Amino acid sequence: MQDKNIQVIWPEGLPKPQIPYSPAVRAGDWLFFSGQTASDLVTGLAPEAVVPAAFPHYSDAIGKQAAVLYARVGAIAEAAGLDPKQVIRVNQWYGADMKSAAYKKGDLTVNNKRYVQEKGKFFQTVSPPSTGIGVRGHLVEGAKVEADFTARWSKDGSLPVKVSAPDVAKPAAGHAEGVRSDHWLFLSGDLASDWKGNWGGAGFEGEVSALAPEARSSGLFWGDEAVGKQTDYILGRLKKVAEAAGTSLDNAVKAYVYLSDPADYCAFEDVWAKWFPDSSKAPARALVPSVEIGAKGCLVEIGMDILMPEAAHLRQPVTGGWSPKSKEPAAMRADDLIFFSGLMATDPATGLAKEASLTPGLPYFGNAGYKQMAYILQKAKRIADAAGVELSQIVKGTLYFADLSLYAGAMEALREVFAEADHFPAITAVEVNRELWVPGCGILADFVLYDPREG
């Protein structure tokens, strides 16, 4: 099936890997990149990204990899006719030291300084809204960082405009709090940090943390749930940035939420429900557990895509097909995109769906990755049917694995959906720290569909 508004971007000379792959997909005015690493796409890390074993301390691995990564991003952008200034969101997935037996939730194991330096060379004027998350693993052996990008061509040819709230602490890495492009606003992933912390402060006591004073919890009493206070603080800051741009969180269409500890789910949801009391009108949401958050003491990170008031009529929840147990709609239509909430192979009665499970006594008589992704895609198709779109209109997928050994089977299931299509979606795939929300579920899928409509 051909959609002339959807086009795969493939730079000349770029090798083709053995897996289904699109470096980037253009859908109308949008460009979605697959997750990019310093891979040569054929053997693993590109030779120029490898630190020589004979001189291990003369160069920095993440810096070398970032240089190769951004050279690839530049080639993709050039092939698409894209100015880097048109990028409106960057997601970074840093390799954290989660495989170490000594690793504990809340540890900080990533040094991204030289990555940020290379990123600054690429985005020389405005560093786009950004999310940086620590993960357990990447598809490429030895990869220190993976990044994906979303870009947009505005209707009048203008570039995204940086948005800032005057009384909100600025990110330490220097990226924008938000950018506006036409009737869209994109907000960076935010933490409950003032980027100062309490180390060395007057009257310092207790544990060192990067938390803003208003987001700190003493932990001295029963019921003192730190993540709740942090969530409320972050949403308050995002509200200020949205209002500085002239819109509000009521017009949010997609939220990106990362929690370091799955056990914080209930406390987080309690606060989320206060901000978005009607689940059907809340933004679609990808809620990702078991990751490393990049500031000491911070337990949650939240980013958002929001429409401006003049486009609020283009925001329509998708009902039917699937009703999440958590507090979000199954999907949210926003102009020419449909944002799905995160999907797993779950059944309301059993947790992991029986159809997605292997037989315990015959664990080798099936492919767990294929079965789970096939079930996820069946669920996604029911949502797509309710929205009046084809599943082959997926243009971007972000896949979170509890174990990357499920990846190959998952891609086979995806390949079948796009067997008759002229494109394969841009895909990012990373491994979180061994635990998603439901025991046995090893894949969390976050999809974006493209569906332009008249008017």
Side-chain angles (χ1 to χ4, degrees):
M1 183 182 67
Q2 184 177 8
D3 186 333
K4 293 181 180 179
N5 291 311
I6 300 177
Q7 176 190 6
V8 173
I9 305 299
W10 203 292
E12 185 176 355
L14 185 68
K16 295 194 174 184
Q18 298 177 10
I19 58 168
Y21 178 72
S22 295
V25 172
R26 179 166 183 174
D29 294 331
W30 300 89
L31 184 65
F32 299 95
F33 286 67
S34 287
Q36 301 296 317
T37 63
S39 171
D40 63 7
L41 301 180
V42 179
T43 65
L45 284 178
E48 58 269 33
V50 176
V51 174
F55 299 97
H57 306 300
Y58 282 62
S59 56
D60 179 80
I62 198 169
K64 287 175 72 72
Q65 291 186 27
V68 174
L69 186 160
Y70 274 99
R72 171 76 49 76
V73 172
I76 295 170
E78 183 177 0
L82 180 82
D83 186 326
K85 298 184 184 70
Q86 293 168 293
V87 173
I88 49 82
R89 182 174 296 285
V90 183
N91 297 310
Q92 286 93 183
W93 318 99
Y94 298 109
D97 195 23
M98 293 172 170
K99 296 178 182 179
S100 167
Y103 184 84
K104 303 186 299 296
K105 293 182 178 72
D107 283 352
L108 298 183
T109 63
V110 173
N111 180 358
N112 69 346
K113 179 178 179 178
R114 287 166 184 80
Y115 167 84
V116 172
Q117 290 172 345
E118 291 295 329
K119 178 183 178 182
K121 296 175 186 177
F122 189 79
F123 297 111
Q124 296 184 8
T125 53
V126 175
S127 184
S130 179
T131 297
I133 299 296
V135 296
R136 180 183 173 90
H138 298 100
L139 293 170
V140 177
E141 190 68 28
K144 298 288 186 183
V145 61
E146 180 169 348
D148 65 19
F149 307 78
T150 304
R152 188 173 182 277
W153 284 268
S154 67
K155 300 298 184 185
D156 61 2
S158 62
L159 295 174
V161 177
K162 185 176 179 179
V163 174
S164 179
D167 55 345
V168 170
K170 308 310 171 197
H175 51 264
E177 296 156 67
V179 294
R180 179 177 174 178
S181 175
D182 292 337
H183 51 258
W184 285 88
L185 176 67
F186 306 93
L187 301 186
S188 280
D190 204 357
L191 308 176
S193 177
D194 58 2
W195 304 109
K196 297 176 183 178
N198 65 353
W199 181 79
F204 164 73
E205 60 181 32
E207 295 184 0
V208 175
S209 85
L211 292 169
E214 305 94 317
R216 296 174 194 166
S217 297
S218 67
L220 296 176
F221 306 101
W222 286 346
D224 186 7
E225 296 176 318
V227 75
K229 198 164 187 180
Q230 291 187 30
T231 301
D232 191 61
Y233 178 81
I234 293 169
L235 290 172
R237 293 217 312 202
L238 295 177
K239 176 178 182 287
K240 291 179 181 178
V241 181
E243 289 175 347
T247 187
S248 75
L249 298 192
D250 290 340
N251 295 324
V253 293
K254 183 62 180 276
Y256 310 89
V257 182
Y258 307 91
L259 290 172
S260 65
D261 191 341
D264 284 333
Y265 174 88
C266 289
F268 169 82
E269 283 286 67
D270 286 347
V271 175
W272 186 266
K274 292 178 182 177
W275 283 81
F276 301 101
D278 186 341
S279 296
S280 68
K281 296 179 181 179
R285 186 177 63 173
L287 183 57
V288 183
S290 304
V291 295
E292 184 172 306
I293 305 295
K296 192 71 173 176
C298 291
L299 304 173
V300 57
E301 179 163 342
I302 307 172
M304 285 188 179
D305 299 337
I306 304 175
L307 290 174
M308 300 300 293
E310 64 268 24
H313 64 286
L314 301 175
R315 180 186 188 274
Q316 301 171 0
V318 176
T319 58
W322 173 60
S323 297
K325 292 178 72 68
S326 47
K327 294 176 170 57
E328 72 264 349
M332 179 69 73
R333 180 183 292 279
D335 197 358
D336 54 358
L337 299 181
I338 300 176
F339 295 99
F340 277 32
S341 290
L343 294 171
M344 296 182 293
T346 54
D347 180 280
T350 62
L352 177 65
K354 184 178 179 180
E355 301 93 321
S357 305
L358 299 177
T359 303
L362 300 170
Y364 307 111
F365 282 44
N367 184 308
Y370 177 89
K371 294 189 76 168
Q372 290 197 30
M373 181 55 78
Y375 191 89
I376 287 170
L377 291 169
Q378 290 173 14
K379 186 183 287 186
K381 186 178 185 306
R382 295 198 298 270
I383 301 168
D385 288 346
V389 298
E390 298 290 333
L391 201 56
S392 58
Q393 290 170 245
I394 295 173
V395 290
K396 173 65 182 179
T398 306
L399 308 180
Y400 303 93
F401 290 88
D403 190 327
L404 278 173
S405 66
L406 301 173
Y407 171 81
M411 296 302 281
E412 283 304 310
L414 268 170
R415 188 202 299 263
E416 292 177 0
V417 170
F418 291 88
E420 303 298 324
D422 287 341
H423 80 283
F424 189 79
I427 296 290
T428 299
V430 295
E431 184 181 79
V432 301
N433 199 20
R434 296 300 194 199
E435 185 178 5
L436 291 173
W437 297 111
V438 176
C441 286
I443 306 171
L444 174 65
D446 179 18
F447 294 130
V448 181
L449 285 75
Y450 177 67
D451 184 35
R453 296 194 171 190
E454 295 296 328

